[in-house]
């Protein structure tokens, strides 16, 4: 500063230099905003999705890997693995329209990455501190992990929405909530939790944002890797509900597994199945062949591993896409599966699949776009509903569920 004050010449040079630096910084900021749209600053912007209701974006493996990285040696879950618990959050969250992956982040915050160092114990299956008010009060207990997740998801819906539950009531404190009073996660502060500093909901979102940046190493799409039918998948437990269908499809090389570094086969049966994976299994299992010119999709290139299967399905009218897109990497929903299955039935003109619209579900009205397909597939025993009389059309399917459904179609069409 002393040198700059020595003469006007030095001051002028300094001002000019500052102007040049300002221009450079401004240009860098503008360019950076395009090159790095998901920077930390933007995650804190108003555009961040803070709603409690909505669809999940993360997968089981990413959620699980995050917990295991943060707590590699002291996960104290009772009678359930963290993988299965993450799956429950995505499944049950989808049933009620709650963002299950963010609810999982809430459980992480409440339990300290499932270390359970507070009043609540692991065997209570209470992952969100429901009824735990501090001072040694242990809060509510639930008989299973599934019931505990249902209670948390339903309690979140009570705060965030005025819509009725889609599942039987489990949450013991549902009736005490003013419905719809907290539509966003930050709105839960001083309602769900009475912490003295910070914002309860913002801290949950911070955990979620960090979890969403957790890298997951995947060597190739599951349906692209060569099959090894003589190798039993190491992640498929004996007696697993879909074991028979998965092994049969592996033996027939209708589906493939992936090899880990030890050369073992993985099936990842509880991961969500994508639209591309479902179409490939469907085409392979039913030995479908192209019939005429297929519609092209802007998001399917000839070099894509799934392109031949999408091309066959499109030529047969099994899939039509939406606004010129197929959305191959989107997780497939139950109503979308039912629609593809019904179109296969129409193609095959098989009596087993051409049932009348004989079955209805209380969450599928007769004017719902997929009602005919859902009713037809359900009447044929291909896609079943739930014990509470719902179909849950928006729920995402797992790989195991997709395989079992296609297996049922193959069996019926072969009769």
């Amino acid at each position: 500063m002393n040198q700059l004050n020595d003469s006007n010449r030095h001051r002028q040079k300094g001002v000019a230099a500052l102007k040049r630096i300002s221009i450079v910084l401004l240009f860098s900021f503008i360019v950076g905003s395009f090159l790095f749209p998901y920077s930390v600053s933007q995650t804190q912007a108003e555009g961040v999705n803070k709603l409690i209701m909505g669809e999940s974006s993360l997968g089981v493996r990413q959620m699980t890997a995050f917990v295991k990285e943060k707590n590699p040696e002291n996960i104290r879950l009772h009678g359930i693995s963290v993988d299965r618990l993450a799956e429950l959050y995505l499944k049950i969250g989808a049933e009620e329209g709650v963002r299950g992956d963010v609810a999982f982040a809430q459980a992480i915050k409440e339990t300290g990455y499932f270390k359970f160092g507070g009043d609540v114990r692991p065997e209570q299956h209470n992952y969100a501190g429901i009824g735990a008010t501090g001072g040694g009060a242990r809060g509510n207990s639930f008989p299973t992990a599934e019931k505990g997740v249902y209670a948390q998801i339903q309690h979140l819906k009570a705060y965030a929405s005025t819509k009725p539950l889609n599942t039987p009531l489990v949450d013991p404190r549902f009736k005490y909530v003013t419905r719809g009073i907290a539509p966003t996660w930050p709105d839960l502060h001083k309602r769900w939790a009475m912490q003295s500093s910070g914002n309860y909901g913002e801290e949950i979102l911070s955990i979620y944002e960090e979890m969403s940046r957790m890298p997951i190493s995947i060597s190739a799409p599951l349906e692209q890797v060569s099959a090894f039918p003589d190798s039993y998948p190491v992640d498929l437990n004996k007696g697993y509900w879909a074991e028979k269908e998965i092994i049969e499809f592996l033996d027939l090389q209708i589906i493939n597994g992936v090899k880990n570094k030890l050369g073992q086969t993985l099936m990842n049966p509880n991961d969500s199945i994508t639209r591309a994976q479902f179409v490939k299994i469907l085409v392979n299992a039913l030995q479908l062949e192209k019939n005429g010119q297929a519609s092209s999709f802007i998001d399917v290139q000839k070099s894509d591993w799934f392109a031949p299967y999408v091309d066959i399905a499109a030529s047969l009218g099994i899939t039509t896409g939406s606004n010129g897109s197929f959305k191959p990497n989107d997780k497939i929903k139950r109503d979308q599966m039912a629609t593809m299955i019904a179109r296969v039935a129409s193609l095959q003109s098989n009596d087993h699949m051409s049932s009348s619209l004989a079955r209805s579900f209380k969450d599928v009205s007769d004017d719902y776009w997929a009602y005919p397909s859902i009713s037809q597939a359900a009447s044929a025993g291909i896609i079943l509903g739930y014990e509470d009389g719902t179909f849950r059309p928006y729920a995402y399917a797992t790989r195991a569920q997709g395989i079992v459904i296609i297996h049922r179609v193959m069996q019926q069409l072969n009769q």
Side-chain angles (χ1 to χ4, degrees):
M1 290 296 297
N2 291 333
Q3 291 179 349
L4 286 175
N5 290 329
D6 285 342
S7 67
N8 290 333
R9 180 172 55 84
H10 286 172
R11 280 198 299 270
Q12 290 172 354
K13 286 184 178 180
V15 171
L18 287 173
K19 287 183 178 180
R20 287 195 298 271
I21 292 172
S22 298
I23 292 172
V24 171
L25 288 175
L26 177 61
F27 178 77
S28 299
F29 173 78
I30 294 172
V31 173
S33 66
F34 285 100
L35 294 179
F36 305 103
Y38 298 105
S39 64
V40 174
S41 60
Q42 184 164 341
T43 63
Q44 298 170 346
E46 291 300 319
V48 173
N49 182 5
K50 297 183 179 182
L51 294 176
I52 292 174
M53 305 299 292
E55 296 183 355
S56 298
S57 300
L58 308 185
V60 170
R61 280 182 287 179
Q62 189 171 20
M63 295 157 67
T64 300
F66 178 70
V67 172
K68 291 181 178 179
E69 180 183 80
K70 294 291 186 177
N71 180 18
E73 298 179 352
N74 193 28
I75 294 175
R76 299 176 58 208
L77 292 170
H78 182 77
I80 190 170
S81 67
V82 67
D83 308 67
R84 173 58 179 157
L85 187 64
E87 178 191 350
L88 286 177
Y89 272 93
L90 297 182
K91 169 183 172 291
I92 297 171
E95 291 173 2
E96 290 294 352
V98 171
R99 295 168 68 193
D101 47 6
V102 192
F104 186 76
Q106 181 186 28
I108 288 174
K109 173 175 170 57
E110 289 280 355
T111 64
Y113 295 89
F114 304 111
K115 294 177 182 178
F116 287 93
D119 295 329
V120 181
R121 295 176 178 176
E123 58 268 23
Q124 290 179 244
H125 304 298
N126 184 350
Y127 308 109
I130 295 176
T133 56
R138 299 200 180 280
N140 297 104
S141 295
F142 304 96
T144 65
E146 185 174 29
K147 294 291 186 184
V149 176
Y150 267 113
Q152 180 183 348
I153 294 295
Q154 291 175 354
H155 206 57
L156 285 167
K157 187 171 184 177
Y159 273 110
S161 173
T162 58
K163 293 182 179 180
L165 292 175
N166 299 324
T167 55
L169 180 63
V170 175
D171 174 25
R173 304 190 62 80
F174 189 88
K175 60 184 178 182
Y176 300 120
V177 178
T178 301
R179 298 299 310 279
I181 197 172
T184 73
W185 291 96
D187 291 334
L188 294 178
H189 187 61
K190 300 295 184 180
R191 291 189 172 98
W192 193 298
M194 302 299 292
Q195 65 185 50
S196 58
S197 62
N199 181 285
Y200 177 74
E202 292 285 4
E203 291 171 8
I204 291 171
L205 288 172
S206 178
I207 293 172
Y208 171 77
E209 290 293 329
E210 185 179 2
M211 182 164 58
S212 70
R213 295 191 292 270
M214 180 72 191
I216 298 295
S217 176
I218 302 176
S219 58
L222 289 172
E223 301 310 330
Q224 187 180 11
V225 184
S226 300
F228 295 83
D230 58 336
S231 177
Y232 191 93
V234 294
D235 58 349
L236 189 65
N237 297 328
K238 295 289 185 180
Y240 183 70
W241 71 274
E243 177 188 19
K244 173 181 174 295
E245 292 85 354
I246 291 174
I247 295 304
E248 182 176 337
F249 271 20
L250 274 172
D251 288 342
L252 294 174
Q253 297 191 33
I254 292 171
I255 60 175
N256 305 320
V258 290
K259 290 289 184 178
N260 62 18
K261 294 180 179 180
L262 299 177
Q264 299 167 317
T265 300
L266 301 174
M267 272 305 302
N268 302 304
N270 298 321
D271 280 5
S272 296
I273 186 170
T274 67
R275 288 169 53 81
Q277 291 169 349
F278 184 81
V279 165
K280 178 180 179 180
I281 298 173
L282 187 66
V283 168
N284 280 348
L286 304 184
Q287 300 180 352
L288 301 177
E289 297 179 354
K290 187 174 180 179
N291 182 22
Q293 185 64 33
S295 300
S296 59
F297 301 107
I298 59 177
D299 52 358
V300 178
Q301 306 300 320
K302 289 184 179 180
S303 58
D304 292 329
W305 66 268
F306 48 79
Y309 310 101
V310 174
D311 193 45
I312 292 173
S315 74
L316 297 171
I318 295 172
T319 182
T320 58
S322 176
N323 297 322
S325 298
F326 176 67
K327 300 180 180 179
N329 298 316
D330 280 9
K331 296 177 285 189
I332 195 166
K333 297 178 181 178
R334 285 169 56 81
D335 56 3
Q336 295 171 343
M337 287 197 305
T339 300
M340 290 189 191
I341 295 304
R343 288 171 180 165
V344 169
S346 176
L347 177 70
Q348 299 290 335
S349 298
N350 187 292
D351 291 338
H352 294 287
M353 287 291 294
S354 299
S355 295
S356 61
L357 305 182
R359 181 171 299 178
S360 61
F361 301 96
K362 62 184 182 183
D363 59 344
V364 182
S365 61
D366 57 6
D367 60 351
Y368 183 63
W369 73 271
Y371 172 81
S373 299
I374 291 172
S375 182
Q376 185 175 354
S379 297
I382 300 300
I383 304 181
L384 307 179
Y386 292 84
E387 292 181 357
D388 61 355
T390 62
F391 180 77
R392 304 173 192 174
Y394 299 112
Y396 294 115
T398 64
R399 285 176 51 79
Q401 291 169 346
I403 289 168
V404 169
I405 287 168
I406 295 173
H407 187 272
R408 290 171 183 162
V409 176
M410 186 180 72
Q411 284 189 317
Q412 291 210 12
L413 294 180
N414 287 337
Q415 289 179 0

